[in-house]
Amino acid sequence: MAGPCPARLQGDVAAFTAALRSLVNNPQFSDVMFVVGQEQRKVFAHRCVLACRCQAFRGMLSQAPVGSQDSSSSVPPQGPFILGNVQPEVFLAVIEFLYTNSVTLNSHIALEVLTSSVEYGLQDLCKVSPVGSPLKRCSSSWESHREIPRSHGERHGVSHLLHGKALCQVHQGHTECGAGLRGPAGCSDLWAVGPPAALPGLHRGLHRVVRTQGFRELSDVVLARVLRSDRLAVDELDLVQAVREWAHVSSAVLERPVPEVAALPVRELRLPLLAPSELVTLESYNQQDLLIPVENIAAAWRAHALRKGSGVPSRLCRPRRGTRPRDHHRHLEPHAK
């Protein structure tokens, strides 16, 4: 005789989430406190929630108190934990996600929350939804605040906010990494931005973005995806310089050679768009850091010599939206049409 068949019953998810949200930064029954930002704002939390949801917090909260002789103490420290380099709003957004599996964002903190999600190893918070998600693209009618849920199998992420107006305002957000970790160091999913067509804000605002700390914290995978777009409003010479600065920062952090950390993004630089004088200067700089493979530069010179993009992938001969016109571009046809 067959035994009883178990069934899992689902309660009201919205009510459950609302109840947990009421615990965010609630001092009642809390057992750990953080002092966050230059404002020294107190944020209250519950060790059991943080530890079960985030490995980084588990490690922080499992450390024995200073001076303790027992490294395996069963009484973890209650704090306060000082997080001086994190904005309180950003930290609270991360805490909200840990408690409710959803997060409320606005355009001013989206980048910082994304960076923090990488620091704390919260890949769910920074992943992009698959094709067909209702938040696949942010429309031009921007909402000043937007809640991004992670329930009912939906796969939304912080990156959606960065697809829209937030990326145009990214220069306003000065990213401060509280834990000292950076995107290239540990998360290939950081800013997994998907196809270039999903980045209308980035296309218009990249000339400001490339000057931010946030740009220098992109992973190589994501930077390469960004550079594949035809719609970036930046000239190629400026992009080369931005990638060079990004590569040197990443090289120092990862303790790996510049050519190695930059291998993916460099493939997307459209060197045939540069004028001969610019290529000469590029070669001079390249002798110092070997950022760009010699064969890539040789292919650009070949495009000039043959007065067409022969032997060069067509995407590398297409001017971007922000490409400054140069006399030789007319010879890159049919790529420049």
Side-chain angles (χ1 to χ4, degrees):
M1 182 175 180
C5 182
R8 182 185 298 273
L9 302 180
Q10 183 79 27
D12 188 338
V13 175
F16 178 76
T17 301
L20 285 176
R21 181 172 282 109
S22 70
L23 297 177
V24 174
N25 198 22
N26 188 339
Q28 187 176 25
F29 306 123
S30 68
D31 55 7
V32 64
M33 184 180 73
F34 300 86
V35 179
V36 185
Q38 297 180 355
E39 308 93 324
Q40 297 186 339
R41 181 173 174 180
K42 294 180 180 179
V43 175
F44 299 92
H46 305 79
R47 290 199 306 263
C48 59
V49 176
L50 301 185
C52 75
R53 290 278 285 147
C54 178
Q55 188 64 35
F57 278 113
R58 177 189 291 270
M60 179 191 301
L61 299 173
S62 298
Q63 295 176 2
V66 177
S68 172
Q69 300 299 318
D70 183 7
S71 60
S72 60
S73 173
S74 60
V75 183
Q78 297 186 15
F81 292 92
I82 310 300
L83 302 176
N85 292 328
V86 183
Q87 295 184 36
E89 295 79 6
V90 173
F91 186 71
L92 282 170
V94 173
I95 295 297
E96 179 189 6
F97 179 80
L98 294 179
Y99 276 75
T100 68
N101 222 36
S102 64
V103 62
T104 305
L105 295 178
N106 60 53
S107 59
H108 299 289
I109 67 170
L111 176 62
E112 287 81 357
V113 172
L114 180 60
T115 302
S116 293
S117 71
V118 175
E119 296 171 13
Y120 293 113
L122 301 174
Q123 295 189 12
D124 282 350
L125 187 53
C126 63
K127 284 182 179 178
V128 174
S129 63
V131 175
S133 164
L135 289 185
K136 180 184 177 186
R137 291 182 176 88
C138 283
S139 65
S140 58
S141 56
W142 174 254
E143 298 173 11
S144 59
H145 291 78
R146 193 165 197 167
E147 181 173 322
I148 300 180
R150 290 281 303 180
S151 60
H152 298 297
E154 295 171 348
R155 292 172 56 84
H156 303 319
V158 178
S159 302
H160 292 293
L161 281 178
L162 302 178
H163 288 175
K165 188 175 179 182
L167 269 176
C168 294
Q169 298 177 347
V170 76
H171 64 292
Q172 298 176 10
H174 302 287
T175 305
E176 296 178 348
C177 297
L181 300 180
R182 303 175 62 258
C187 183
S188 62
D189 290 325
L190 173 62
W191 279 29
V193 292
L199 296 170
L202 179 58
H203 298 146
R204 296 187 296 272
L206 191 65
H207 64 287
R208 295 187 296 269
V209 175
V210 295
R211 294 193 293 268
T212 68
Q213 180 68 16
F215 179 85
R216 298 185 181 94
E217 293 171 355
L218 293 178
S219 72
D220 57 345
V221 172
V222 172
L223 181 55
R225 290 179 180 178
V226 170
L227 293 175
R228 290 183 192 134
S229 175
D230 295 339
R231 299 163 61 193
L232 300 180
V234 185
D235 184 67
E236 206 64 28
L237 194 61
D238 296 327
L239 283 177
V240 171
Q241 180 59 28
V243 171
R244 171 166 274 114
E245 293 175 1
W246 169 90
H248 281 268
V249 172
S250 298
S251 173
V253 171
L254 301 177
E255 298 182 349
R256 290 162 49 194
V258 167
E260 181 179 331
V261 299
L264 283 177
V266 162
R267 296 176 189 173
E268 306 303 327
L269 291 175
R270 304 182 181 186
L271 302 183
L273 298 179
L274 300 180
S277 60
E278 294 168 330
L279 284 175
V280 170
T281 302
L282 177 65
E283 284 186 303
S284 176
Y285 281 110
N286 204 61
Q287 291 176 359
Q288 302 173 26
D289 57 15
L290 303 177
L291 171 72
I292 302 173
V294 175
E295 54 267 27
N296 292 28
I297 300 178
W301 280 117
R302 186 165 58 251
H304 278 280
L306 300 176
R307 301 176 72 82
K308 60 181 180 179
S310 177
V312 180
S314 60
R315 72 179 190 281
L316 301 183
C317 295
R318 288 196 301 266
R320 307 179 195 268
R321 175 178 293 178
T323 300
R324 292 192 294 268
R326 293 163 174 84
D327 290 340
H328 74 283
H329 287 177
R330 65 181 184 273
H331 301 304
L332 297 178
E333 297 180 350
H335 310 291
K337 286 185 178 179

